[in-house]
Amino acid sequence: MLTLCLIAEVFRISFPSPPYSNQEQQMVLPMFVSSLQVLEEPGASSYVYGCTLLETLSTVSVFSLEGCTDTLSDLFKLFFTIVRPDHSTKIRQCMIQVMSSVVQEVSCVSQELLDLILINILEPAKSEMPSSYALAVDFIRAASTHLEPYIQLFFNNTLVTGKSSESEVADRIYDLILELHGIDPTLLLSVLSQLEYKLKSTDSDERLKVTLLLAKMFALKDSKLALENKTLWFCFLGRFSDVSSDVRTECVKHSKYYLAYHPDLSGDVSAKLHERFHDPEESVRLETVHAVCEAAAESLEAIPKLLMDDVQERMRDKKWAVRKETMTNLARLYRQVTSRSGVQVAEIKKIDWIASKIFHCYYQSSLPDKLCVERCTLSCLVPATLEVKERMSRLISMYSSLDEYATRAFGEMLKSQFQTASSLKSFITYQEEDVEENRDMFEGLKKALSYFVSEPSNAFEILDSIFKACKDQKLKDEFLKALSTDSLCPDVILAKANILKMVEEMKGVSEVIKVLLDHCCSILLDVESVQILVEKICEDMHIHNSDDCIADDDQVALQKLQLLKMVSSAAPTFFSKPETLQHIMGFLRSKNEQISKTFLQILTAIGGHVHTSASGCLHPVLTQLVLKGSPQLTKDATRCFIGVFGDSASMIERLFKNLAAQERLVFEHANLSNTLIAIGQIAKLQPTLFATYYKQVIRDFVVKELLVIDRSKALYNEGNPEWSEESSVSFETQAKVLGIKVLVLWLLGIDRNHKKLAVPVFRLLDTMLAHDGDLQGQDNISAPDRSRLRLSAANGILRLARNPVLVDIISVQQFQRLALVAQDTCKEVRARFMDKLHHALKSMELPMSYISVLSLVGTESDKRARAQHQQMLIQHIGVRRNYFKRNPSDHTHPEYILCEVVYLLAHHPCMESVDESSTQTVQECLSFIMEPLLRGGDAALAFLILESIKKTVDAQDPENKEICEKMHNICDMAINEISTKVDKKLQGVVTQRIALPVRLFSLSKKYSKLKFNNKATEDVSESENCQMISEGNDHELGGKRKKALKEKTKKKPKKHPIEIVSEL
C-alpha cells in the first residue's frame, strides 16, 4: 500500500509525463483499483493509506490510457460498491473527481461503463443502496457535459432504432429518463422530441408508458418542463382524450399534482378534467373524482369552481361505485378541513356545501345510496368517535349549513333510523305464540325489514334465521341494548361490536345484521348528548335565563331550533331528562313568537315523555298561552297541551269548558280568535270529547252566529280592489275564516260512522263559493273580504277532499264549482288555491281526478304563472305514471283524467252559449292538459277513452241532449289534439277495459247493447277522425256499479243557508 502511494505520488509530481512506459502503467492501474478496496472499511488499519492514495489519484489523470476498459469498469464498479454513508465529503468528492477525469479523458465511454453509472439511479439500487445512488447523482451532475453525448446516443439508439438491446438498462428506458430528468434536465433536451413522437404511437402499451413517464415529469414539484416545452405539454394534454382508458386514467391520476403544485397549468388541466368527469369509462370517472378531491385536500384554493361543480354532479352518476366514491371522498375532504386546528371560517364556508350535496343523495331510491349517506354522516360529517361536546358542536355547525332539501333529508334519515330500530326491536322480541296470534303484524315487520336485504329472493329466509338466532338470550340482550333509546352511544357501539362478533360465522346473515345495525343503532345522539345539544343552542342564542337578545342572525337561530324540533320528532325519549325540559320551558315565554312556537312544537313531539316534575310547571304556562296568548301561538299551545296531557281526559275537558264557556263564545269577545283556533284543534285531536258539545259550538255559534250573520255593512262595489293585505282584513272576516277552519277540523276528526255530518258542511261551503264569498248574498261584504272567504271555503273543501273518508261525499256539482276557483277573478285567490292544490296532488293525498282542475289554467293570462302550473302538471302526471308502474291497475292510468276534463269543460260556464269565444277557451284548456298528458303517455288509451265517452250521456242529467252534444264535441276536439301531437301510429292492443266513472257518464240507449274491442290501429297523424272496429271484447262502463247506470238523477235545488243550519 505504501509502495502504491509512492508510485501515485510520482505520477503526481511528474504529471503530465510520468517516468513509466504505457505497459508499466497498465500493470500498475489494476493494483491501484484493488488497493482502494480498503476504503470499504473505515475502521481498517490501512484506511488512511487508502484515503491518501485516492486523494492523490484524484489530482492526476492516471486512468486515461487506451486499452484499459476493463480496469475502468472495475474502478467504477468498486466506487459504487464501497461508498458508505459514513464516508467523509472529501472522500466522496475524490471518487467523483477520479470518475470525472476518466470520462473526460477517454476517447469513448463504453456502453458497459455507462450502464454501471445509470443502473445505480434505478430501482432497486436506488432504495437498497442510497449511498451509491447519491454518488451516481453527484457524479452525473458533475460530468453532465461529458456524459451528455453518450447518454443522448444511448437514448437515440434505444428509442428510435432499438439497437441497444445489449444494454442492461435498455428495457427500463422510461424509468431512466424520469430519473435523469430529476437529476439534470439538460441531459434530455434532444430526447424530448422523441418522446413526443412516441406519444403518437399506434401501440397503446407504448403510449401508456410514455404517458406515465411524462405525467411524472410534469408533476414534479419544481418542474418547469411544461413551461419550457409547450409543444410536448400540449401533446401530452391530448392523451387525456386517448382512445385507451388506461392512458386516460394515468393522465387523470397525476393531474392532482398539477392542480396543487403548478397553478400555471391549472387552466389547461381543468378543461381536460371537466371532459373526463363525463368519460364513458367508470374507472376514469372514479379516478377523476379521486384526483380532484385529493388536490382539494392539499390546497382548496387551487381548485376551480368548475371542477368542484363537476364533483357534485358525479353524486348523481348512473354507476353506484362512482356515486359511492364521490360521496366518500367529499365527506373525507369535509372532515379534513373542519378537523384542522385553527381552521378559518372562510375555509369552512368553501366546503359547507358538501354536507347538503351528500344529503341530497338520500333521495336516491336505492338502499346502498341511503346507507352510504348515513356512513358518511357518522364517519366524516359528524364523526361519532368525537367527544360528546365536540360532536354536538360539529352537528350544530353542519346542520346550520344545510339547505332546505338537505334539512328534510336529514330529518328523514333520523326518522327512518328510529322507526326501523323500533321495527327490529319488535321483530326480535316476538314470541312464538305471539307470531301465531298476530301473524299479519309479524309478516308486516318482516316485509318492512326485508328492504335492508340485498337479495330480495331469500329476504324472508334470512330474517327467519335472524329471528331463530335471537332465541339465544345473550344475543337478544345485546340487540335490545343496541336498539334501546335509553342506551348511551358508547354502550351502543360496544353492543353492536358484540353482536357482529357473535354472528360472524353465520354466512349471509351476518351481512344483513351489519346493515340493519348500521342503519338502526343511534351512535350520534342519546339522552346525554341531546341535553348538551339543547344547552349549546341556548348558549349560542344567549336567551336562556336572560332577555331575548339573540346574538346569531334570526334565521340561523331558528334553523338551530329546527334541529331540536327534528330530533324531538324522531326520538322524543331523548328529551326525557328534567334538565333538558327545563331549558326548553325557558323559551316558551320568549318575546320572539317564532322561537316560542318552535319550542311548543318540540314539546308537542315529546308529548307523553315529558317528565312528571316538568309537567306540573308546564300546565299553567300552556293554559295561559291557549286562553290569552297570541293567535299565532294558540294553535301550537293547544296541540302541546293535548300531547302532554293526552292521558288526562279531565284536564283537557276542563280546558275545553273554559274555551266553550258562554261568555267566550260571543262575537265581541277579545280572545275570540284564540277560542276558535283552540276549539278547532280539540275538535280534530279529541273528537270523542268534542262530540258532546258539537251542537253547541258548531250549530249554535260557528254557523248561526258567525258565518250566517253579516254584522258589517261594507257595501260591495265591483270597482274596488279584490285583495288587500292581511292587516286590512276586517275582524269579522278573520273570525269567519277561523269558523270555516273549525268546521273543517271538526270533520277531519270524525270517524267513518258519522261522515253524514259532513254533507251540510260541504253544502255550506259550496254555497259560499256559489255566492262569490257572500253566504247570504246581500252584498254586505267588501270585495277583499269576499276573496278571503272564497279562498277559505275552497281550501276547506280541498282539505276535506284529502280525507279518504270524506272525499266521496263531494258531489259532482260541488267539484265543478271548486274547480272554477282556478279561474277566479282575483289573482291572489287563484295563486293561493293552486298552491294548495299542487301540494296535495304532489303528496298524492287527492284523487287523480283533481288533476283535471289544472286544465282550467289554460286560460291563465299570467304567462309566468301558467308556465309554473304546467311544470307542476307534468310533475303530477309523472308521479302518477310511476305509481302505476309500481301498482298496476286499470284505473290509475293518468289518461283517465280526460273523463273529468271533458265533463268539467262541458259544464263550464263559458259553454252556456257555444260560440267562437267559448270554443277557443275550451281549446286552450285542452291543449294545456293534453300536451303533458300525451308526452310519454298512452295515446291509444286516451283515444279509446274519448271514443268511449262519445257513446255516453251525462249521468247527472241523461235527458239533456245539449250537454251530451257539448261533451261529444269536446271529445272530438281532444281527438283532434291527439292527431296533431302524436306523429306515430297507435298500434297495439289496449288490454284493460275502459271503465268510466259512473257518477259522470252512463251509456246512451244507442250503445247500451253494443260490443266492441279495444284495438286502435288508425294512423292519427293521417286521420283526424279515428275509428274503432266494432267487434271483440265487451265495453264495460263503470266497473261493478251497474245499478248506477239505470238511475236518472236530477239536480238538487240549492238550499238557503238557514236550511243548511237546520240540517246541522
Side-chain angles (χ1 to χ4, degrees):
M1 177 62 74
L2 290 174
T3 302
L4 290 172
C5 289
L6 292 174
I7 295 174
E9 188 66 21
V10 171
F11 271 103
R12 184 185 67 78
I13 295 172
S14 61
F15 184 80
S17 302
Y20 307 112
S21 64
N22 288 343
Q23 185 178 2
E24 291 173 330
Q25 292 183 43
Q26 291 177 356
M27 290 176 60
V28 77
L29 289 181
M31 299 174 65
F32 282 151
V33 173
S34 61
S35 62
L36 291 175
Q37 186 73 36
V38 299
L39 296 174
E40 186 176 8
E41 300 180 4
S45 57
S46 56
Y47 177 76
V48 177
Y49 298 109
C51 293
T52 303
L53 177 60
L54 177 62
E55 184 177 355
T56 304
L57 294 175
S58 66
T59 59
V60 293
S61 301
V62 177
F63 297 96
S64 59
L65 292 177
E66 295 292 337
C68 298
T69 304
D70 294 339
T71 303
L72 296 179
S73 298
D74 294 339
L75 176 66
F76 275 65
K77 187 182 296 183
L78 176 67
F79 281 165
F80 287 120
T81 303
I82 66 174
V83 65
R84 293 289 182 272
D86 50 353
H87 281 161
S88 64
T89 305
K90 185 176 181 181
I91 295 298
R92 297 167 62 86
Q93 288 296 330
C94 289
M95 291 181 181
I96 294 172
Q97 183 62 38
V98 171
M99 291 188 291
S100 298
S101 63
V102 170
V103 174
Q104 183 177 356
E105 296 295 335
V106 297
S107 58
C108 178
V109 176
S110 65
Q111 185 62 47
E112 180 184 1
L113 190 60
L114 190 61
D115 287 350
L116 286 173
I117 301 169
L118 298 178
I119 201 171
N120 286 283
I121 63 174
L122 299 175
E123 297 289 351
K126 180 178 178 180
S127 300
E128 295 176 358
M129 298 186 294
S131 299
S132 302
Y133 170 75
L135 179 65
V137 169
D138 292 340
F139 166 63
I140 291 172
R141 287 173 177 166
S144 60
T145 304
H146 306 290
L147 288 175
E148 182 179 359
Y150 304 106
I151 292 176
Q152 290 180 357
L153 178 63
F154 166 69
F155 283 127
N156 288 337
N157 291 334
T158 305
L159 291 174
V160 181
T161 65
K163 293 181 179 180
S164 297
S165 58
E166 69 277 3
S167 172
E168 295 182 19
V169 295
D171 57 341
R172 304 183 62 187
I173 188 71
Y174 296 116
D175 294 336
L176 190 57
I177 293 175
L178 178 63
E179 293 296 336
L180 288 174
H181 176 73
I183 295 171
D184 188 353
T186 59
L187 291 171
L188 304 174
L189 293 178
S190 64
V191 179
L192 298 179
S193 59
Q194 299 170 13
L195 294 179
E196 183 179 344
Y197 168 77
K198 289 288 185 180
L199 272 178
K200 301 176 182 179
S201 171
T202 57
D203 185 356
S204 60
D205 291 336
E206 189 169 18
R207 288 200 314 276
L208 178 61
K209 292 178 182 179
V210 179
T211 300
L212 180 58
L213 167 65
L214 289 175
K216 293 178 179 179
M217 292 171 66
F218 289 128
L220 293 175
K221 199 166 186 177
D222 299 323
S223 175
K224 301 294 182 183
L225 179 61
L227 300 177
E228 295 171 353
N229 198 323
K230 289 286 187 180
T231 304
L232 184 61
W233 168 247
F234 288 123
C235 186
F236 170 74
L237 288 177
R239 294 309 95 205
F240 276 85
S241 304
D242 195 276
V243 68
S244 171
S245 61
D246 294 334
V247 175
R248 300 197 302 272
T249 301
E250 288 301 330
C251 291
V252 168
K253 188 180 297 184
H254 290 80
S255 59
K256 60 185 177 183
Y257 302 110
Y258 312 141
L259 295 173
Y261 305 134
H262 301 282
D264 296 335
L265 308 178
S266 178
D268 296 335
V269 175
S270 297
K272 295 298 180 181
L273 289 177
H274 175 66
E275 297 174 0
R276 298 282 62 79
F277 272 111
H278 303 87
D279 195 279
E281 286 292 331
E282 176 184 341
S283 59
V284 178
R285 299 198 302 274
L286 268 175
E287 197 57 54
T288 308
V289 171
H290 278 302
V292 174
C293 290
E294 289 180 10
E298 291 288 334
S299 176
L300 193 59
E301 295 79 8
I303 309 301
K305 185 178 182 301
L306 173 67
L307 294 185
M308 298 309 292
D309 292 341
D310 288 332
V311 174
Q312 297 177 34
E313 187 180 349
R314 286 308 94 206
M315 284 193 282
R316 299 191 298 272
D317 196 278
K318 61 183 179 181
K319 295 293 185 179
W320 153 241
V322 179
R323 299 197 303 272
K324 175 186 176 183
E325 289 303 316
T326 306
M327 282 189 276
T328 305
N329 279 278
L330 284 176
R332 288 172 182 165
L333 175 61
Y334 183 92
R335 182 181 61 186
Q336 288 176 0
V337 175
T338 55
S339 299
R340 291 173 186 166
S341 57
V343 61
Q344 300 296 322
V345 177
E347 289 185 83
I348 295 180
K349 285 185 176 181
K350 289 182 180 180
I351 51 92
D352 60 3
W353 56 267
I354 291 178
S356 293
K357 296 301 179 182
I358 289 177
F359 279 113
H360 289 174
C361 297
Y362 199 77
Y363 290 105
Q364 295 281 354
S365 58
S366 65
L367 175 63
D369 287 282
K370 298 179 185 295
L371 294 177
C372 186
V373 172
E374 294 172 359
R375 291 187 182 115
C376 289
T377 302
L378 297 175
S379 62
C380 298
L381 301 184
V382 188
T385 55
L386 292 176
E387 189 268 333
V388 61
K389 291 186 178 180
E390 176 63 23
R391 189 168 75 243
M392 291 302 101
S393 297
R394 193 75 64 87
L395 175 61
I396 294 172
S397 176
M398 184 271 294
Y399 186 85
S400 300
S401 67
L402 299 182
D403 59 26
E404 178 185 355
Y405 296 104
T407 301
R408 194 179 306 166
F410 181 72
E412 289 296 325
M413 185 184 77
L414 290 180
K415 189 180 298 183
S416 174
Q417 174 186 343
F418 290 103
Q419 286 178 350
T420 309
S422 177
S423 299
L424 181 59
K425 185 176 179 180
S426 300
F427 176 75
I428 64 175
T429 53
Y430 254 93
Q431 303 296 328
E432 291 290 347
E433 54 273 16
D434 295 336
V435 173
E436 296 300 327
E437 295 176 2
N438 303 294
R439 171 62 62 180
D440 292 340
M441 185 178 297
F442 184 74
E443 293 298 325
L445 290 173
K446 286 172 64 175
K447 185 176 180 180
L449 295 175
S450 65
Y451 175 73
F452 298 92
V453 182
S454 58
E455 299 179 7
S457 58
N458 60 346
F460 280 20
E461 296 179 8
I462 293 176
L463 291 173
D464 286 336
S465 299
I466 296 175
F467 180 72
K468 292 177 182 178
C470 288
K471 291 181 179 179
D472 181 359
Q473 190 61 40
K474 187 176 180 181
L475 179 61
K476 181 185 287 188
D477 292 342
E478 293 295 335
F479 262 110
L480 295 178
K481 186 185 297 183
L483 299 174
S484 175
T485 54
D486 296 329
S487 300
L488 299 180
C489 292
D491 298 333
V492 173
I493 295 175
L494 180 60
K496 179 181 173 182
N498 292 337
I499 293 171
L500 294 177
K501 187 175 181 180
M502 295 169 69
V503 300
E504 61 182 354
E505 296 181 358
M506 300 173 63
K507 294 184 179 179
V509 176
S510 58
E511 292 81 2
V512 175
I513 291 178
K514 185 179 186 307
V515 170
L516 284 169
L517 292 178
D518 286 344
H519 178 70
C520 297
C521 292
S522 178
I523 60 175
L524 177 64
L525 296 168
D526 56 19
V527 175
E528 290 186 357
S529 61
V530 167
Q531 180 185 351
I532 294 174
L533 180 65
V534 173
E535 292 175 355
K536 281 188 170 293
I537 292 178
C538 292
E539 293 173 3
D540 292 343
M541 296 173 63
H542 297 287
I543 63 173
H544 184 58
N545 292 331
S546 65
D547 58 8
D548 288 9
C549 178
I550 300 179
D552 296 335
D553 180 77
D554 284 352
Q555 191 61 34
V556 177
L558 292 174
Q559 190 171 13
K560 293 177 180 179
L561 296 184
Q562 291 301 319
L563 172 60
L564 288 181
K565 179 181 174 183
M566 191 172 291
V567 175
S568 66
S569 177
T573 55
F574 287 167
F575 291 78
S576 57
K577 295 187 76 172
E579 296 83 357
T580 305
L581 294 170
Q582 289 298 328
H583 283 291
I584 294 175
M585 290 170 59
F587 289 89
L588 296 182
R589 297 187 181 276
S590 170
K591 296 177 183 178
N592 188 318
E593 288 190 356
Q594 190 62 37
I595 293 176
S596 299
K597 180 178 180 179
T598 304
F599 275 96
L600 282 171
Q601 293 170 349
I602 292 173
L603 284 172
T604 303
I606 299 171
H609 299 285
V610 173
H611 196 272
T612 307
S613 61
S615 61
C617 302
L618 196 57
H619 180 270
V621 177
L622 293 177
T623 303
Q624 184 73 9
L625 288 173
V626 170
L627 298 177
K628 297 184 179 180
S630 65
Q632 289 79 7
L633 295 179
T634 300
K635 175 181 176 181
D636 294 292
T638 308
R639 286 184 173 183
C640 183
F641 191 99
I642 296 173
V644 174
F645 304 106
D647 295 335
S648 177
S650 59
M651 297 180 69
I652 299 177
E653 185 173 6
R654 193 181 311 125
L655 174 65
F656 180 75
K657 286 182 177 180
N658 288 336
L659 291 167
Q662 187 173 1
E663 62 272 11
R664 290 185 69 93
L665 287 181
V666 292
F667 179 79
E668 295 78 10
H669 196 278
N671 298 112
L672 179 63
S673 298
N674 299 55
T675 302
L676 291 174
I677 293 172
I679 286 177
Q681 295 302 317
I682 294 175
K684 179 183 177 182
L685 301 176
Q686 295 287 326
T688 305
L689 170 65
F690 189 77
T692 309
Y693 304 93
Y694 90 91
K695 290 184 179 180
Q696 172 189 346
V697 176
I698 299 297
R699 183 189 63 186
D700 297 340
F701 178 71
V702 174
V703 177
K704 284 186 177 181
E705 296 294 328
L706 195 59
L707 296 179
V708 173
I709 299 177
D710 295 331
R711 293 173 174 80
S712 62
K713 302 299 179 182
L715 295 179
Y716 174 71
N717 190 339
E718 292 185 0
N720 292 338
E722 290 191 287
W723 193 258
S724 62
E725 297 296 328
E726 191 77 31
S727 57
S728 302
V729 179
S730 66
F731 174 76
E732 181 182 4
T733 300
Q734 293 179 8
K736 288 185 176 183
V737 169
L738 291 176
I740 293 173
K741 291 182 178 179
V742 170
L743 291 177
V744 172
L745 293 172
W746 167 55
L747 292 182
L748 292 176
I750 64 175
D751 56 22
R752 189 179 298 272
N753 297 326
H754 298 85
K755 67 178 184 179
K756 290 184 179 180
L757 294 172
V759 174
V761 175
F762 277 118
R763 193 173 294 121
L764 184 146
L765 297 177
D766 179 63
T767 304
M768 186 170 288
L769 290 178
H771 291 175
D772 198 25
D774 186 359
L775 186 62
Q776 293 284 25
Q778 298 177 356
D779 293 337
N780 289 333
I781 303 177
S782 65
D785 289 347
R786 282 188 174 196
S787 298
R788 294 278 179 178
L789 292 172
R790 287 199 309 276
L791 179 61
S792 297
N795 287 343
I797 296 176
L798 208 58
R799 180 67 184 87
L800 293 172
R802 293 161 64 180
N803 189 317
V805 177
L806 303 174
V807 65
D808 293 333
I809 301 177
I810 302 175
S811 68
V812 174
Q813 290 77 16
Q814 290 169 355
F815 173 76
Q816 291 171 344
R817 193 166 287 112
L818 175 68
L820 291 177
V821 180
Q823 293 181 326
D824 194 275
T825 56
C826 180
K827 178 181 178 181
E828 287 76 10
V829 172
R830 296 197 306 269
R832 298 191 181 200
F833 172 75
M834 294 305 293
D835 285 344
K836 293 285 186 181
L837 179 64
H838 286 316
H839 178 74
L841 288 173
K842 184 178 180 181
S843 59
M844 295 188 67
E845 293 178 305
L846 283 175
M848 187 174 65
S849 58
Y850 279 74
I851 298 179
S852 62
V853 177
L854 294 175
S855 64
L856 301 182
V857 183
T859 60
E860 175 64 59
S861 58
D862 188 341
K863 293 183 179 180
R864 183 177 179 182
R866 191 177 190 274
Q868 291 176 346
H869 293 320
Q870 190 167 40
Q871 289 299 318
M872 294 302 295
L873 174 60
I874 294 171
Q875 182 178 349
H876 299 326
I877 293 175
V879 169
R880 303 289 169 161
R881 290 200 194 283
N882 293 334
Y883 176 80
F884 173 72
K885 291 177 182 178
R886 298 192 301 268
N887 305 278
S889 173
D890 295 346
H891 303 284
T892 57
H893 281 281
E895 284 75 16
Y896 273 95
I897 65 175
L898 287 174
C899 300
E900 283 77 12
V901 171
V902 170
Y903 195 89
L904 196 60
L905 294 177
H907 292 77
H908 194 277
C910 74
M911 292 295 289
E912 291 180 359
S913 59
V914 181
D915 52 18
E916 184 178 351
S917 175
S918 62
T919 303
Q920 183 179 356
T921 299
V922 171
Q923 186 63 50
E924 289 176 354
C925 294
L926 281 175
S927 299
F928 182 81
I929 200 163
M930 291 290 285
E931 182 179 350
L933 193 62
L934 295 176
R935 188 185 304 172
D938 191 343
L941 178 60
F943 173 80
L944 287 173
I945 291 173
L946 293 169
E947 284 290 345
S948 301
I949 295 174
K950 290 174 65 177
K951 296 172 175 59
T952 64
V953 295
D954 185 358
Q956 303 295 318
D957 192 3
E959 303 300 329
N960 192 330
K961 296 182 179 180
E962 183 181 354
I963 286 292
C964 295
E965 184 180 354
K966 291 177 183 178
M967 289 194 307
H968 299 165
N969 291 338
I970 293 172
C971 287
D972 289 334
M973 295 171 67
I975 290 173
N976 184 58
E977 193 77 19
I978 295 176
S979 67
T980 57
K981 295 186 182 300
V982 180
D983 297 330
K984 58 183 179 179
K985 290 185 177 182
L986 297 177
Q987 296 179 346
V989 176
V990 180
T991 57
Q992 70 274 9
R993 292 178 176 180
I994 305 301
L996 304 181
V998 294
R999 49 188 258 160
L1000 301 183
F1001 307 105
S1002 61
L1003 276 177
S1004 65
K1005 296 179 180 179
K1006 179 180 178 181
Y1007 296 98
S1008 60
K1009 297 182 180 180
L1010 185 66
K1011 297 182 179 181
F1012 54 88
N1013 70 357
N1014 295 333
K1015 185 174 181 181
T1017 57
E1018 287 278 331
D1019 187 347
V1020 297
S1021 63
E1022 297 178 1
S1023 174
E1024 294 184 359
N1025 299 311
C1026 299
Q1027 302 292 329
M1028 293 191 300
I1029 303 173
S1030 299
E1031 60 181 16
N1033 300 328
D1034 290 339
H1035 175 69
E1036 185 178 63
L1037 185 68
K1040 298 180 180 179
R1041 296 191 290 175
K1042 295 181 179 179
K1043 293 183 180 179
L1045 299 176
K1046 301 179 181 179
E1047 297 178 357
K1048 295 182 179 180
T1049 58
K1050 297 181 179 180
K1051 291 185 178 179
K1052 297 180 181 179
K1054 296 178 182 177
K1055 294 190 176 183
H1056 192 273
I1058 297 301
E1059 297 180 42
I1060 299 175
V1061 172
S1062 65
E1063 292 185 16
L1064 284 169

